[in-house]
Amino acid sequence: MTKTALMTSSALALALLAGQAAAEVKFGALYPFSGGLALLGEESARGLEIAVDEINAAGGVQGEQVVLERGDAVDNNQAIGEARRLISVAGVKAIFGSYSSARSIAASQVAELAGIPYFELGAVADEVTARDFKYLFRTNPTADHMGKLIVNMIVEKVAPGLGKDPKDLKIGIIHEDSSYGTSVAGHQKRYGEEAGLNIVTTQGYPAATVDMSSIVLDLKQREVDIVLQTSYQNDSVLFLQQANEAGFKPAAIIGGGGGYSMLPTAEAVGSDVIEGVLDADFTQYAVNTEFTPGLEAFVAAYKAKYNEEPRSGHSLNNYVGAMAVLKAIDGAGSFEPDAIVASVSAIDIPQGATAAGYGVQFGAGNQNDRASMMGMQWQDGRLVTVYPEAAAAAEMRFAQ
Amino acid sequence: METFLQVVANGLMLGGLFAIISIGLTLIFGIIKVVNFAHGEFLMAGMFLTYLITTKLGLHPYASVVVVAPALFVLGALTQRLLIQPLLSARDDHVQIFATVGLSTAMINLALLLYGADIANTPTSGLRTPVDIGPVRVLEGQIYIFLCAALLVVGLELFLHRTQTGRAIRAVAQNRAAAQLMGINANWIYVLSFGIGAACVGLASSLIAPLYPTSSTIGTYFVLTAFVVVVLGGLGSIPGAFVGAMLIGLIDALAGFYIGSDLREAVVFGVFLIILILRPSGLFGTRVKLSHIS
C-alpha cells in the first residue's frame, strides 16, 4: 500500500467517524421505569423504542440517528427532576412519555417553560391537554374517548344484541374514586344522558377496597341491566367475583381499561366468570388487521427485540404516536422547537391508516382529535375486538 | 328484611377478615408498645409465601400454614431482635415507629423487585364457593376466617392468662422493670411476643390468600383498617380488637349499602372519631402505660 493511499483511507475513516458522531439527535423517554407503575411504564417505552429503531433503520430523522435518553419518572417529583435533567443536562430536543397522567402533568410543565416539545403517547386524563400548552401534544385517546365509545357501543351494538331499546336498559355506573375513575364516569354519564340512556345510579368507591358486596347488592336490588365499571385490577377482580357469587348476572358488564384488559384479571376470576365481559381500552392485538395496517409488523418487531409477546396494548399505542411524531419531526427542516411544533401541528393521518386504527390530527389543546378507543370482549379466555364493526375480529356474544 | 340480613352477614364476614389481621397487631402493640407499620407488609409476605407453596407444591392453601406461620414467627422475631431492640434504648420511643415505616417501604419495594407490579393468584381451592345459610349467602372461606379469628382470640387469651410464659409476657407488658427484677428476661419476651404477633399474621395470610389476589401493595389495603380496629378496641386488647373489627365490618357494610359506597369511609371514620371522643382509650381499653420502664 502506498503512503498516499494509506493517508487517504485513514482520512476517509476519520471523516466517517466524525460524520457518525455528529449525526445523532437525542430525545428523552420519560416513563416510570421503577416503582409500582413500572410494568406498564416499561411496556409503553418499548413501543417508543421500536418506533425509533424503525425510523433509524430508514435513515433517521433529518438524516440523523435518534438516540433515546431514558428518564425514570418513579413519582411526580422525580418526573419533574428527570424532565429538567433531560432538557438541561442531556440536551434533548423533545421528550416522549409518560404512561401516567399525574407524571405527565408534572413533567410537561417543565418542558413547556423550557420551550421543549413534549409528546404524550399514553396518559388518559383530560387535564393533560386541557391546559392549552404550546409545546405539548397528545396522540392517544383519553378518558373522554373512553366514555364516548362505551355509550356508543351500548346504543349501536349491545342494546340491539339484547333485543332491547337502549332507553329501556337500566344502567349502573360504578367507578374507583380517584381522578381516573371519576372523570371516565363523568363522561359516561354525560354521553349517556345525551343519548337518552336510563342511568339509575352512579357510585364511587376507593380503589383500595376489600369488599364490594354492598355495591353488588345495591345494583342487584335496582335490577341493573348493564354495569359500567372504571377500575384498576384489584377492584375489577373483586367486583366480578362478588357479583358472580351473589348470583348477580346483569345482561352486560362493560369495564373501562385498567384491570379489565389484563390476562391476570381473567386468571384471577376464572375464564367462565369473565366470559362475555366487555371492555373499552386502547387498541389491542386481537383485531381486524385490515383496519390497523402495520400491526403485524409491529408485533414481529416486538418479538424480535424483546423475545416475548407484547404484554398489553400500551406499547402499540406508544409506537403509533411516536411514529407519527417522528415522521413529522423528520419533515420539520430543523430541530428548533417552533419548527417541530409547526410540523407536528400539520400532521394529517386518516382513520384506519395506523397500526392502532385511529388517525392523527391535532385539535384544541393539541389533543389528537382522531384518536379513539375500541370495544373488546372476553371470549374463550381471549380479549378480542368486537367494536367498532370495521375493527372487529369477532362478533359480539350475548348470554342466552 | 332479607336484604338487611344479607348486609349484616356481609358485615360480619368483613369483620372476621379485619379481626384476623388485627389480632397480631394489637398483641405486638400491647406488649412491646411498638406500632408496627410494616404489619401490612408482613401480611403481603405471608400471602406471597402461601401463593408459592400452593402453586409450586400443589398443596391446599390452608395446609401452607404449617410453613407460613413459623416463617412469619421468625421474620417477626428477627425484626424485634435486629431492628427494634437496638432502638429500645433510643432517647425517643418514636424512633422505633420510623424504623417500622422504613421496613414497610423496603418490603414493598423488595416485593416489586421480585414479583413486579402484577397480581399473583393463589388457587381458590373451592373456598370461594357460596354457602346459603337461611336467607343469607356467604363464602366458605369467609366462614373459616371468622371461626379462626374467634378461636385465635380465645386461644391467645388462654395462653396469656393460663401459662407461665403468658404470665411472663403480661408481666413485662405491665411493668418491664419489675418483671426484670422478678427474673424475667424482658428482651427474650419481646422477641417471643413479636414472633407470636407475626405468626398470627402468617395464619391470617394463609386464610386470606385464596380469597384475594396477592400483590406487592396488598398490605396497604388492609393496614389502615387494622389500625382503626386496634385503636377502637383499646390498644393492646385482643378481645377488644375482635369486637372492634366486627363493629367496623358492620358499619362499613351497612353504610356502603344504605348510605352510599362513596361515603362508607366517611361514615366508618366518623363513627370511629365519635367513639374515641366518648371513650378515649377505646372500647376495651384501660389506661395504657406507654412507657417501657414505668
Side-chain angles (χ1 to χ4, degrees), chain B residues 70-156:
Chain B
L72 266 282
F73 180 91
V74 172
L75 181 66
L78 286 177
T79 306
Q80 167 63 25
R81 180 65 193 85
L82 301 178
L83 190 72
I84 311 292
Q85 195 168 308
L87 297 173
L88 278 180
S89 52
R91 197 178 302 157
D92 192 334
D93 287 346
H94 299 99
V95 173
Q96 300 142 18
I97 296 176
F98 292 115
T100 63
V101 172
L103 181 65
S104 154
T105 310
M107 285 179 75
I108 291 179
N109 285 288
L110 184 66
L112 278 171
L113 204 67
L114 292 176
Y115 296 99
D118 231 333
I119 55 174
N121 300 305
T122 309
T124 56
S125 313
L127 293 167
R128 286 209 81 103
T129 317
V131 182
D132 288 309
I133 306 173
V136 303
R137 172 183 277 201
V138 291
L139 299 182
E140 216 178 295
Q142 289 181 315
I143 299 174
Y144 295 138
I145 290 179
F146 187 90
L147 291 178
C148 280
L151 284 175
L152 190 60
V153 171
V154 175
L156 280 174

Side-chain angles (χ1 to χ4, degrees), chain B residues 31 160 163-174 179 184 189:
Chain B
I31 295 156
L160 288 175
T163 66
Q164 195 63 21
T165 320
R167 286 193 200 99
I169 290 176
R170 283 193 300 134
V172 172
Q174 281 165 14
I184 297 170
I189 292 292

Side-chain angles (χ1 to χ4, degrees), chain A residues 183-203:
Chain A
S183 65
V184 174
H187 293 305
Q188 287 172 341
K189 205 170 169 183
R190 185 164 54 84
Y191 285 116
E193 277 164 3
E194 277 173 21
L197 297 182
N198 177 20
I199 297 168
V200 292
T201 180
T202 305
Q203 298 192 25

Side-chain angles (χ1 to χ4, degrees), chain B residues 21 36-45 201 218-220 222-223 227:
Chain B
I21 296 166
N36 180 20
F37 276 95
H39 189 76
E41 281 58 56
F42 280 29
L43 179 74
M44 178 265 291
V201 185
I218 188 77
T220 57
F222 290 101
V223 78
F227 280 119

